[in-house]
Amino acid sequence: MGRGLLKDALAGGALTAGMQLRAMPVMVACALAALASPAAVQAQQQAAQVDFSIPAQPLEHALRLFSEQSRHQVLFDESVVAGKRAPAVNGRYAPREALDQLLAGANVRVNSARPNVYTLTAIGQSSGDAVTLQSVTVSGSGVGNPTTEGTGSYTSDAITISKMTQSVRETPQSVSVLTRQLLDDKNLTTLDEALAQTTGVTKTARNFGNHKFSIRGFTVDDNNYLVDGVAGVVYAPVGWLPIDTAVFDRVEVLRGAAGLMLGSADPSGAINMVRKRPRGEGHFEGSTTVGSWDNYRMELDGGGPLNESGTVRGRLVTAYQDRHYFYDGTKSKSPLVYGVIDADLGRDTTLTFGARHQATNTDGYWIFGLPRYTDGGALDVSRSTSLLQDWNRQKGQVNEVFAEAEHRFNQDWKARLSLNHTEVDLDQRVAIPIGGVDRATGVGSRFYTIYFNNAHVKSDGVDLNTTGSFQALGGTHQVLLGTSWSRQRVNQKWANLDTDTPINVYDPDHSSIPEPARPAWDSGETSRLEQTSVYGSMRLQLADPLHLLLGGKFSWLKYRSNDGLTGRMTRDYEQKHEFTPYAGLVYDLDQQWSVYTSYADTYQPQSTYVTSSGKPLDPSIGANYEAGVKGELYDGRLNVSAAVFAVKKSGIAVEDMAATGSCPGSLASPNCYRNGGTLRSKGFELEASGELSPGWQVMAGYTYVTSRDDEGETISAETPRHLFRLSTTYQLPGRWNAFSVGGGVSAQSGYSYKAYDDMSVRMGAPGRAVWDLRAGYRINKHWSASLNVANAFDKDYYGMVSQIRRGNHYGEPRNVMLTLRGTL
């Protein structure tokens, strides 16, 4: 009954743009309770059919693909399937029906002793003999396989952000997974678009257009990102150089301090981007998209075995996007090429080699957004208004190569070595607008400088770890031991040309300044950040339902920067053997529900500042305290969670007012500092992701958060107190099953704060709800089409609000995207 009410509310538009946001936690809590009802469980267990697309191939490979698409586990001895082939299975079948087709003529019996788990034995061999097989292989994405591609799901069986593969329910922190299906359904083609749809994540305007995201009031900086679990290898991934999601199987977002993964970082969270890997079967997919404002995109993705035995597999992904924007004068072109090869060296070792090239060239690049009226109010201008010069330009490219070696010692233990090298080139020339606008006269904004910026960044990352499990004291325990190293070198140069050209914000002239030649570089900086760590964790089974997670990381960090023109050292600091602990406790109430509590922290070095005695300042410590309940329902097809949290960042550098005069040994500042500032946030979250009922996928999350600094002001001005995100799609049943419908909403409460550039003025944004709609049609087994309407009710709002003088950006108006997808 409860689930029916939720479906009726969604279908009937009960979640309107004017809804009361304070009712969200009650609504989501009711939904979670309804999902756990016996009637809902029974309905889910009667899930009838799944779409299968399995080509004819060796039976062992076909069974893996069957598991990926059905999310059922298959156990078998290699001798049972050796040398046998499976016919093609295409269409919509119950999983057992599809399995029977694959095994037709194979002389194999299917035994099903547990739900969604099949054991295969040769005919003539009793089922009792199956348990004595010497070699048993687990195929496909059954329990514990984190791969989301091909599952059609908005959730994942497992995550790898901690390097130990475990389910969302087994992880004692809040985690969201943006699956391949969700990224495709919502056309989220860049990492910043994907994070903007994630529970508890908000975007904030940052300097020179290198925008950042925030989680629980704290900034997600470059150090908070990982690629395949390797940290320190990205640069401006959601700002100047947004990463294309076509190369990813999924994006895992952990909220709260993540010292075990990151060490030195803000206690906001960790974002792990997991690359696509070659498949065991041949495949080719393509898509083309046409959207509003001349937005065109094409993707091609193909690969499979490169030799007859299938021990070498490859994959190539390409994408090209040519688009204009809803504001005047800006257009960009973004090509992408990604290739990866897996090679099996025997049964126990796999080598991986890959490379990515991505570029983004933007004409009419707009760096700072709009100003506001001097009284803090939003400008009364069209959303298409842009304050740019038509010769503004940004060119950026990323070239990345990576390698991985994985060796499996036995069924319980394996080791992995990951190597990553990335080079970034960035070139900008922009006229920079600044200045609040007088509401009465309309004047005040002007171009005050022309800015030239050139940067070359080299990033290297290495990670070596081993994971495994062992039996002791009547329980099964897991262990992770590893070490990592990263280095990032930045060579950046700047130049400025003074100008004082007034701007009419109501009718801006995009060619009021002639395009200038770049002058000689007048400033610059070279920097080098090197981090080394040793880490480990254990998941101990204290009792059958009780698990204790303990871990920690020792980190060493060294940073040095020099003036790019004179060579003079400008900063030099390091942090030695800093320890960041992690602890969690998970208690299984039953096979579906768990309760947990956890603690984790991070640190940020501040040794560039010194105390009055000349001693480098201690690092600030960010700590995350969390407790909650998680459910893994319908055999893992639906994950739900509820959590309360508190985050505290203490020991932040503040000026020592008792110490006067120049501070000895300080390069960063002539003033002395002490550890004293504290930032706090707290709140709770609710989330549900996966299959509510057959054909109905959902990802929904609600976050309530408050924050304050030592003066009682919010620590993240653009973070709303209430935030609700929903994405859903439903495949119609019966004769209408070729059609799917869906949509979503991003809703948040209003916020206000003291303007940074005029503390006497308060500014902010009102609450809003922005709705999306989607419709899909499966033309045949090879082709499908979808229509996405973003901001369906054309809500007029500011997506980012920053200062009076600059940094305010309209959210996108209503726009439409038509996508055609094909598979072979």
Side-chain angles (χ1 to χ4, degrees):
M1 178 178 177
R3 179 153 52 97
L5 291 175
L6 177 61
K7 182 191 289 188
D8 292 342
L10 290 169
L15 300 176
T16 63
M19 66 182 171
Q20 296 296 317
L21 290 169
R22 61 178 177 270
M24 288 180 182
V26 176
M27 180 190 67
V28 179
C30 290
L32 298 184
L35 294 174
S37 67
V41 172
Q42 182 180 5
Q44 184 64 34
Q45 290 175 341
Q46 294 174 351
Q49 295 181 323
V50 177
D51 285 315
F52 288 94
S53 178
I54 303 176
Q57 60 190 297
L59 179 57
E60 181 178 359
H61 297 160
L63 291 172
R64 291 195 181 98
L65 194 57
F66 165 82
S67 290
E68 291 176 2
Q69 297 180 10
S70 68
R71 302 175 68 83
H72 286 50
Q73 194 174 29
V74 183
L75 307 176
F76 56 88
D77 184 272
E78 292 180 350
S79 63
V80 174
V81 299
K84 299 177 180 178
R85 293 188 61 83
V89 176
N90 294 290
R92 191 166 177 82
Y93 302 98
R96 179 58 189 267
E97 293 175 337
L99 183 59
D100 288 342
Q101 290 191 39
L102 291 175
L103 299 174
N107 207 36
V108 173
R109 175 189 292 112
V110 180
N111 306 293
S112 182
R114 289 182 290 160
N116 302 326
V117 178
Y118 300 111
T119 301
L120 307 185
T121 58
I123 292 178
Q125 178 183 42
S126 71
S127 60
D129 293 336
V131 297
T132 62
L133 295 174
Q134 295 180 355
S135 175
V136 177
T137 301
V138 179
S139 300
S141 64
V143 176
N145 191 327
T147 302
T148 69
E149 187 179 24
T151 66
S153 177
Y154 281 13
T155 194
S156 176
D157 283 347
I159 57 174
T160 56
I161 192 169
S162 68
K163 297 184 176 68
M164 284 199 303
T165 302
Q166 56 191 28
S167 69
V168 173
R169 183 168 67 91
E170 294 171 330
T171 305
Q173 281 186 268
S174 297
V175 183
S176 298
V177 182
L178 303 171
T179 67
R180 187 67 253 169
Q181 189 67 46
L182 177 65
L183 297 175
D184 288 341
D185 283 352
K186 296 187 72 70
N187 280 324
L188 305 176
T189 59
T190 59
L191 181 61
D192 58 316
E193 292 175 348
L195 293 180
Q197 299 294 322
T198 306
T199 300
V201 182
T202 54
K203 193 172 186 179
T204 59
R206 285 296 186 267
N207 205 20
F208 292 94
N210 189 20
H211 304 306
K212 306 288 185 181
F213 283 88
S214 294
I215 299 175
R216 297 181 176 177
F218 293 89
T219 302
V220 181
D221 216 333
D222 288 3
N223 284 339
N224 295 84
Y225 291 89
L226 307 99
V227 182
D228 284 341
V230 180
V233 295
V234 300
Y235 180 77
V238 293
W240 291 328
L241 298 162
I243 298 178
D244 198 302
T245 60
V247 305
F248 299 137
D249 171 76
R250 64 191 181 278
V251 178
E252 302 169 342
V253 180
L254 182 144
R255 295 182 288 280
L260 184 61
M261 302 92 172
L262 304 172
S264 173
D266 228 27
S268 52
I271 296 168
N272 185 33
M273 297 162 277
V274 183
R275 300 182 181 104
K276 291 177 177 177
R277 295 300 176 91
R279 299 185 195 171
E281 78 286 350
H283 68 97
F284 181 81
E285 296 94 34
S287 68
T288 183
T289 300
V290 179
S292 301
W293 314 302
D294 295 324
N295 186 358
Y296 305 100
R297 179 180 174 89
M298 177 174 287
E299 289 184 27
L300 299 174
D301 183 345
L306 301 180
N307 61 353
E308 185 175 354
S309 63
T311 58
V312 181
R313 302 167 297 280
R315 187 167 190 170
L316 181 66
V317 179
T318 64
Y320 184 81
Q321 188 159 3
D322 187 334
R323 63 173 300 186
H324 291 63
Y325 294 78
F326 69 90
Y327 44 85
D328 295 332
T330 303
K331 58 184 179 180
S332 68
K333 296 180 179 180
S334 304
L336 164 74
V337 179
Y338 167 75
V340 60
I341 292 176
D342 281 348
D344 296 331
L345 304 184
R347 294 181 52 184
D348 301 322
T349 304
T350 301
L351 299 182
T352 299
F353 302 95
R356 173 176 67 100
H357 168 79
Q358 182 181 335
T360 301
N361 298 326
T362 305
D363 292 326
Y365 184 67
W366 191 21
I367 201 167
F368 271 133
L370 295 168
R372 294 173 76 90
Y373 290 121
T374 53
D375 60 12
L379 291 185
D380 184 20
V381 296
S382 166
R383 285 177 285 183
S384 63
T385 302
S386 62
L387 307 184
L388 57 83
Q389 293 297 284
D390 51 18
W391 45 262
N392 282 13
R393 190 168 298 110
Q394 173 175 285
K395 293 184 178 180
Q397 67 173 4
V398 179
N399 292 295
E400 175 185 61
V401 293
F402 63 94
E404 182 179 286
E406 180 179 283
H407 180 72
R408 297 165 290 280
F409 299 102
N410 52 44
Q411 292 183 357
D412 297 322
W413 288 88
K414 66 180 179 181
R416 177 177 295 176
L417 172 66
S418 301
L419 308 172
N420 202 99
H421 175 76
T422 306
E423 295 196 17
V424 169
D425 288 288
L426 182 70
D427 188 77
Q428 299 172 325
R429 61 170 60 199
V430 290
I432 295 181
I434 195 171
V437 178
D438 184 272
R439 190 182 290 270
T441 64
V443 301
S445 186
R446 70 189 192 282
F447 291 112
Y448 81 101
T449 190
I450 300 172
Y451 174 73
F452 301 85
N453 175 36
N454 182 272
H456 181 68
V457 183
K458 292 184 178 181
S459 302
D460 298 284
V462 180
D463 187 275
L464 173 63
N465 68 76
T466 182
T467 58
S469 62
F470 64 93
Q471 304 285 330
L473 302 176
T476 302
H477 316 287
Q478 294 173 283
V479 177
L480 163 70
L481 294 172
T483 182
S484 66
W485 173 86
S486 67
R487 179 183 63 191
Q488 188 169 85
R489 293 165 289 175
V490 181
N491 184 0
Q492 195 164 11
K493 296 172 286 189
W494 306 277
N496 290 276
L497 288 175
D498 292 334
T499 184
D500 190 8
T501 305
I503 302 173
N504 179 359
V505 296
Y506 302 109
D507 187 19
D509 183 355
H510 295 156
S511 57
S512 60
I513 303 175
E515 181 175 359
R518 180 184 65 78
W521 301 113
D522 56 30
S523 59
E525 183 179 69
T526 61
S527 65
R528 176 188 176 114
L529 172 64
E530 188 168 326
Q531 300 185 73
T532 305
S533 68
V534 177
Y535 58 86
S537 66
M538 299 181 69
R539 188 174 192 270
L540 304 174
Q541 187 176 14
L542 303 183
D544 185 47
L546 183 63
H547 291 83
L548 174 65
L549 290 86
L550 294 174
K553 188 172 196 174
F554 281 101
S555 300
W556 291 259
L557 180 149
K558 185 172 179 59
Y559 179 87
R560 178 170 179 166
S561 63
N562 298 82
D563 187 289
L565 301 182
T566 68
R568 178 182 61 87
M569 186 168 61
T570 55
R571 293 195 177 196
D572 185 20
Y573 60 87
E574 64 180 323
Q575 199 70 44
K576 297 180 179 180
H577 50 74
E578 186 68 27
F579 181 65
T580 50
Y582 168 74
L585 198 64
V586 179
Y587 182 81
D588 296 334
L589 301 174
D590 55 30
Q591 293 184 348
Q592 293 183 319
W593 293 95
S594 299
V595 293
Y596 72 90
T597 184
S598 65
Y599 170 87
D601 69 26
T602 60
Y603 78 97
Q604 287 187 313
Q606 301 180 127
S607 52
T608 186
Y609 301 107
V610 297
T611 66
S612 58
S613 63
K615 178 184 176 182
L617 203 63
D618 291 335
S620 63
I621 303 298
N624 185 85
Y625 306 83
E626 187 170 322
V629 57
K630 291 188 177 183
E632 189 178 68
L633 310 179
Y634 313 144
D635 300 309
R637 289 188 290 272
L638 178 69
N639 282 296
V640 296
S641 64
V644 294
F645 61 84
V647 186
K648 179 182 179 181
K649 186 177 180 180
S650 57
I652 299 170
V654 295
E655 187 177 345
D656 188 351
M657 304 306 295
T660 58
S662 180
C663 215
S666 175
L667 290 172
S669 170
N671 301 316
C672 295
Y673 285 81
R674 62 180 177 85
N675 294 100
T678 302
L679 306 177
R680 295 179 174 86
S681 74
K682 61 182 179 180
F684 66 91
E685 292 177 328
L686 302 169
E687 186 175 68
S689 60
E691 193 174 52
L692 290 176
S693 65
W696 187 9
Q697 295 289 332
V698 66
M699 183 173 185
Y702 166 79
T703 303
Y704 171 84
V705 60
T706 61
S707 66
R708 62 182 177 87
D709 58 17
D710 291 334
E711 282 72 45
E713 289 290 326
T714 179
I715 65 175
S716 177
E718 306 97 327
T719 298
R721 182 166 293 191
H722 303 271
L723 178 65
F724 178 68
R725 298 267 165 76
L726 168 69
S727 299
T728 186
T729 185
Y730 179 67
Q731 185 171 359
L732 301 182
R735 60 182 297 186
W736 299 100
N737 66 3
F739 293 89
S740 62
V741 294
V745 63
S746 180
Q748 64 182 60
S749 56
Y751 56 86
S752 68
Y753 57 93
K754 292 181 180 179
Y756 300 124
D757 42 353
D758 186 348
M759 298 295 287
S760 65
V761 175
R762 294 197 71 88
M763 54 182 288
R768 65 174 185 263
V770 181
W771 290 83
D772 302 329
L773 299 175
R774 179 186 181 274
Y777 176 65
R778 188 177 66 250
I779 300 170
N780 54 39
K781 65 181 181 180
H782 295 299
W783 294 96
S784 64
S786 63
L787 183 70
N788 291 70
V789 183
N791 194 359
F793 302 112
D794 203 23
K795 179 70 176 179
D796 191 337
Y797 69 100
Y798 274 87
M800 291 185 288
V801 177
S802 181
Q803 305 174 39
I804 291 176
R805 59 180 182 166
R806 66 188 185 191
N808 305 282
H809 299 261
Y810 271 117
E812 280 193 339
R814 178 172 50 233
N815 60 96
V816 179
M817 300 188 75
L818 177 63
T819 302
L820 179 67
R821 298 185 186 276
T823 62
L824 295 178

